[in-house]
Amino acid sequence: MKLKTIGLCAFCLLVTHHTLMNASELNNNNETENNYILDNDEPEFSDDDLDENEEEFEVGADLDVKAPSFTPKQALSHKTFLSPIIDNWAQAAHFTLSHQAAYGLRDPEQLIINRSSLRFQWEQLLADRFFFRFDGKTAYDFVYDRPDYNDNVRQRYRTVSGIREAYVQGNFGDLSIKVGKQLVVWGKADSAVVTDVMSPRDLTELVFTEVEDSRVGQQMISFDYYRGASRWSLVLNPDVKVNLLADPGHPYSTLASTLIDAVPEVEPNEDSNNMEVGLRWGTTIEQWDFALMAAEVFTDNPVFDYTPPVTVEAIYPRYQMFGAGFNFGSGKFVWKGELAFKKNRLFNRTDSLALAKYRVWDSAFGFDFDDNGAYNLSMEVTNQHILHWDDGISGQRRNESNLYTIISKNFWDETLTLKYTNSYQLQDDEHFHRFEYIQDVNNHVTLSLQADAFNSHKDTTLLGQLEGKHRLSARVDFDF
């Protein structure tokens, strides 16, 4: 418990220090246009930081939940009237102290990440009817102490503090209401966004951050109503955010981020009518899980709006999505699929620099296989199909297909995991390879080693821009 109290003090001091440092830098660099705003463009972080025994609290779940299964240190021997409160806080709090280092093997051949972070999570029942969750993190990357980077990149990425989740959930019979900063996860596809349209992604480090770890929290109100085996969900999002891309000068900046930086950007939160709305119905029938979804949202990646004679803006237009998904368990297999029809998707055209509306079908199909713990295999194929496509659409094919494969095996009573991930882009014959070694040293310390490599013959595709950015990385997590 003493260690957790020290952790909380350290977390608060680091966040305060970051805020003061940002304020100082803003005063000294008031001519900089793209100053970092706390909790607006923060890089997100991994759910893998959670202890594997901790159960994630879902919208509308039974509020008779257990606090995270982290054993607190022995209570202070000197008891006071505050001791029960302190003991209860210590059981609900969880800290993760981490350090990650990554070395680029080429372009550039140098240390590109040298980051220490402290993450604080707190889950607490309130008055038997309400539940509170907080998830925040502060990090310092020593790489940006070097003079290699411009002032804007150093200011934005050297010290980062942010809150991913901070919400209160209330249970009122069959109705559950959640208010605050939260994540809404609708889809399960690993290599494409099919129905998972309610949460944008932090793509600062691109494919080096896994999909489930990259989601960005937003201030939302969500309602869940349970009726028998069915569940209705309504999501209202007035705090619309978009995908976060690395600024020019960052090791993982792309052509897209360079274009966005070169023109005025109009984000959805600048629109007076910026509400996103999503409705989902799901049910379970024996070994089947079904879901139907409908949403009106903004695109997470921009298109460029050209107004003659010279005005160009990066904008995020609205579109509508109607989707369905399923899971089916059979023996050692879990089969899964998603299908979404997206209406009024805007794409740039090369012939006139204008925008044109198209209808799009997105799909994903795959399986998870578990050989009684001996090894695990997941495979998934995804496709984007643009109806009435023509070769005047800028940067888009009629079909865009990927095959995503993960195979892993546990050793030593599941304290060691070896994992291989491959993403294969079918049309361009591009590959992304990842090899991982994950070791639970003890109940508190986890060591991860990772190697990433790319194989592409293109210059403008995402994997083509990452060609040559192979890297080795190591990470140590200490949970308490």
Side-chain angles (χ1 to χ4, degrees), residues 138-157:
T138 184
Y140 188 95
D141 197 330
F142 297 89
V143 159
Y144 297 104
D145 289 336
R146 299 198 309 249
D148 309 30
Y149 301 99
N150 62 54
D151 291 341
N152 182 64
V153 170
R154 281 202 302 271
Q155 179 184 338
R156 182 172 179 185
Y157 299 109

Side-chain angles (χ1 to χ4, degrees), residues 7-63:
L8 179 61
C9 294
F11 179 82
C12 295
L13 286 173
L14 286 170
V15 171
T16 303
H17 171 73
H18 167 62
T19 305
L20 293 175
M21 288 293 292
N22 272 353
S24 175
E25 291 185 1
L26 284 172
N27 290 331
N28 294 331
N29 300 281
N30 54 14
E31 295 182 357
T32 302
E33 295 181 356
N34 296 317
N35 285 325
Y36 174 79
I37 299 175
L38 181 64
D39 191 35
N40 185 32
D41 292 333
E42 72 274 13
E44 296 297 328
F45 39 89
S46 171
D47 285 336
D48 293 340
D49 292 339
L50 287 168
D51 186 282
E52 64 182 1
N53 294 321
E54 181 181 1
E55 295 184 1
E56 187 176 8
F57 194 90
E58 298 182 353
V59 176
D62 185 356
L63 288 182

Side-chain angles (χ1 to χ4, degrees), residues 365-408:
F365 179 77
F367 67 86
D368 297 324
F369 175 79
D370 184 352
D371 188 21
N372 297 322
Y375 71 93
N376 295 275
L377 173 65
S378 297
M379 296 190 72
E380 172 186 282
V381 60
T382 62
N383 186 68
Q384 175 185 273
H385 177 76
I386 301 176
L387 296 173
H388 307 296
W389 175 90
D390 62 83
D391 57 9
I393 303 178
S394 176
Q396 299 288 336
R397 296 188 182 88
R398 186 191 305 272
N399 289 286
E400 187 84 17
S401 308
N402 287 274
L403 177 64
Y404 195 78
T405 305
I406 302 175
I407 185 167
S408 63

Side-chain angles (χ1 to χ4, degrees), residues 187-470:
K188 300 298 183 182
D190 294 307
S191 58
V193 177
V194 180
T195 60
D196 191 21
V197 298
M198 296 304 299
S199 291
R201 313 288 169 85
D202 181 352
L203 303 179
T204 302
E205 296 181 9
L206 301 171
V207 298
F208 299 106
T209 304
E210 295 187 8
V211 170
E212 61 269 19
D213 303 329
S214 66
R215 292 184 176 93
V216 176
Q218 300 168 105
Q219 301 286 352
M220 296 186 282
I221 304 174
S222 57
F223 303 85
D224 288 273
Y225 178 73
Y226 294 84
R227 191 69 174 176
S230 298
R231 169 181 170 182
W232 290 89
S233 299
L234 173 65
V235 180
L236 305 177
N237 178 23
D239 179 39
V240 180
K241 289 183 168 58
V242 296
N243 287 345
L244 305 178
L245 300 177
D247 284 351
H250 187 279
Y252 299 119
S253 63
T254 62
L255 292 175
S257 58
T258 302
L259 289 173
I260 296 170
D261 188 67
V263 301
E265 183 181 13
V266 182
E267 295 191 4
N269 56 21
E270 299 178 35
D271 187 342
S272 59
N273 182 26
N274 67 341
M275 179 77 73
E276 289 186 332
V277 180
L279 180 65
R280 184 181 188 274
W281 170 82
T283 190
T284 300
I285 303 175
E286 295 182 349
Q287 296 171 292
W288 290 86
D289 289 331
F290 296 100
L292 298 175
M293 292 149 277
E296 183 174 58
V297 296
F298 291 87
T299 57
D300 289 322
N301 294 312
V303 294
F304 297 92
D305 186 21
Y306 171 66
T307 303
V310 292
T311 304
V312 178
E313 292 180 327
I315 65 171
Y316 299 82
R318 284 181 179 272
Y319 72 95
Q320 296 76 42
M321 186 277 293
F322 305 92
F326 77 90
N327 286 330
F328 172 67
S330 176
K332 299 178 181 180
F333 286 87
V334 175
W335 300 91
K336 55 186 180 179
E338 297 178 53
L339 181 66
F341 175 70
K342 297 174 181 178
K343 183 181 178 183
N344 294 324
R345 284 293 310 274
L346 289 182
F347 295 105
N348 283 107
R349 295 191 58 83
T350 57
D351 49 6
S352 62
L353 298 180
L355 292 169
K357 290 183 179 180
Y358 291 86
R359 292 172 293 171
V360 176
W361 283 101
D362 285 338
S363 59
F365 179 77
F367 67 86
D368 297 324
F369 175 79
D370 184 352
D371 188 21
N372 297 322
Y375 71 93
N376 295 275
L377 173 65
S378 297
M379 296 190 72
E380 172 186 282
V381 60
T382 62
N383 186 68
Q384 175 185 273
H385 177 76
I386 301 176
L387 296 173
H388 307 296
W389 175 90
D390 62 83
D391 57 9
I393 303 178
S394 176
Q396 299 288 336
R397 296 188 182 88
R398 186 191 305 272
N399 289 286
E400 187 84 17
S401 308
N402 287 274
L403 177 64
Y404 195 78
T405 305
I406 302 175
I407 185 167
S408 63
K409 183 172 177 58
N410 296 323
F411 300 89
W412 300 347
D413 296 326
E414 300 186 351
T415 61
L416 170 64
T417 301
L418 299 181
K419 185 177 179 181
Y420 169 70
T421 302
N422 176 266
S423 180
Y424 174 51
Q425 208 290 327
L426 277 67
Q427 285 80 14
D428 291 326
D429 191 27
E430 297 177 307
H431 285 273
F432 161 56
H433 306 273
R434 170 171 293 163
F435 302 89
E436 294 175 87
Y437 172 101
I438 306 169
Q439 174 72 58
D440 293 331
V441 179
N442 54 41
N443 291 334
H444 299 282
V445 179
T446 301
L447 170 66
S448 304
L449 304 176
Q450 184 173 301
D452 297 285
F454 305 89
N455 180 14
S456 173
H457 308 287
K458 303 287 184 176
D459 294 327
T460 57
T461 64
L462 176 59
L463 293 182
Q465 294 177 68
L466 290 172
E467 173 68 23
K469 294 188 180 293
H470 319 306

